[in-house]
Amino acid sequence: EVQLVESGGGLVQAGGSLRVSCAASGLSVDDYAIGWFRQAPGKEREGVSCISLSDGSTFYADSVKGRFTISTDNAKNTVYLQMNNLKPEDTAVYYCAARGFSHCAGFRESYFGSWGQGTQVTVSS
């Protein structure tokens, strides 16, 4: 069974940085991709970024390109999302999710079958 646990959320001022982490267990790094999604109050959940655990290829939503960086430490089975130059509109609950396919092609929520509990990120103006 795949289990995902997020950590690292918090409150930060606009322009600041945060790093959220996703600790994964029960999966093979050769067969999975990990995605980060977020859901703001009153809005639908949206995809933010994705990384292939096998080859490190990445995908970013246009709204975070140049500001967010996804990375993985396969030895620790942990995926990180480094968020810089944060904006108030980045405020959301951030979720990591696992996809039983080794690449991020076709990055959409329905392709991800295992989800963490989420971590709150709040950016004040």
Side-chain angles (χ1 to χ4, degrees):
E1 179 186 3
V2 175
Q3 292 188 327
L4 304 169
V5 179
E6 302 95 336
S7 61
L11 173 64
V12 65
Q13 288 188 331
S17 298
L18 273 178
R19 188 179 77 166
V20 290
S21 302
C22 174
S25 60
L27 57 78
S28 167
V29 297
D30 290 332
D31 300 327
Y32 279 83
I34 299 292
W36 281 99
F37 297 79
R38 66 186 181 186
Q39 187 166 23
K43 294 188 176 181
E44 292 186 353
R45 190 153 55 186
E46 63 172 344
V48 174
S49 184
C50 179
I51 188 166
S52 164
L53 298 183
S54 61
D55 67 8
S57 58
T58 59
F59 171 87
Y60 295 94
D62 288 343
S63 58
V64 305
K65 277 182 183 176
R67 300 188 299 122
F68 290 12
T69 302
I70 191 170
S71 62
T72 180
D73 183 340
N74 284 350
K76 296 182 179 179
N77 278 1
T78 300
V79 173
Y80 305 99
L81 186 68
Q82 176 67 44
M83 303 180 290
N84 298 329
N85 190 22
L86 283 160
K87 304 175 181 180
E89 53 263 43
D90 294 317
T91 295
V93 178
Y94 283 71
Y95 300 89
C96 67
R99 174 183 185 183
F101 182 69
S102 59
H103 293 283
C104 297
F107 180 46
R108 61 177 61 182
E109 181 177 342
S110 60
Y111 290 167
F112 290 77
S114 300
W115 292 79
Q117 82 288 351
T119 186
Q120 177 71 46
V121 171
T122 302
V123 185
S124 64
S125 56

